[in-house]
Amino acid sequence: MVLLVYISLRAREADSIIAALVIGLLLDLLNQIPTETSQHVVVLGPHALASLVAFRAIQGLRGLMFRQSVITLASLTLVAALLIHMAVLLLLSIRASYDSLMLGPIGADLV
């Protein structure tokens, strides 16, 4: 998350979009989701799309913040993490409505 925020604050927009997609895809590859058949699957896409949402939010806030401040990096990292996790939960709950993914008790309580 910190890398995504740092790149979004400092790099050009086109480079930041590519970095957000790559970071999101790497997060997708690391995240295994259990299914009803006791298998674990990798779902590509939710973290990548959520990283783009967080990137757009950071781009909107970038002009209002001091880019060199550590407090800016920390606060925007918190905002980005919240946005990414909320968007991933939304996308996975939509996917679980028609597929055999199990979100677990925390995901089921939030939906």
Side-chain angles (χ1 to χ4, degrees):
M1 302 296 166
V2 177
L3 181 62
L4 174 68
V5 173
Y6 186 81
I7 291 172
S8 297
L9 284 175
R10 308 247 181 202
R12 294 180 306 155
E13 185 175 350
D15 297 335
S16 297
I17 290 173
I18 293 170
L21 284 174
V22 169
I23 291 170
L25 285 174
L26 289 174
L27 286 172
D28 282 330
L29 289 173
L30 293 174
N31 190 20
Q32 294 184 355
I33 303 168
T35 62
E36 293 173 356
T37 60
S38 299
Q39 296 177 343
H40 287 75
V41 296
V42 174
V43 179
L44 293 178
H47 282 94
L49 292 175
S51 295
L52 283 177
V53 169
F55 158 73
R56 281 295 173 199
I58 293 168
Q59 285 290 309
L61 295 172
R62 183 166 80 168
L64 304 173
M65 303 282 191
F66 294 110
R67 294 183 193 175
Q68 274 67 15
S69 174
V70 174
I71 296 171
T72 299
L73 185 65
S75 61
L76 286 180
T77 300
L78 178 66
V79 168
L82 289 172
L83 284 173
I84 287 173
H85 287 352
M86 287 179 3
V88 166
L89 182 62
L90 174 70
L91 292 170
L92 286 178
S93 63
I94 291 170
R95 171 85 185 254
S97 67
Y98 65 86
D99 202 1
S100 64
L101 297 179
M102 292 177 17
L103 291 180
I106 296 173
D109 290 341
L110 291 176
V111 175

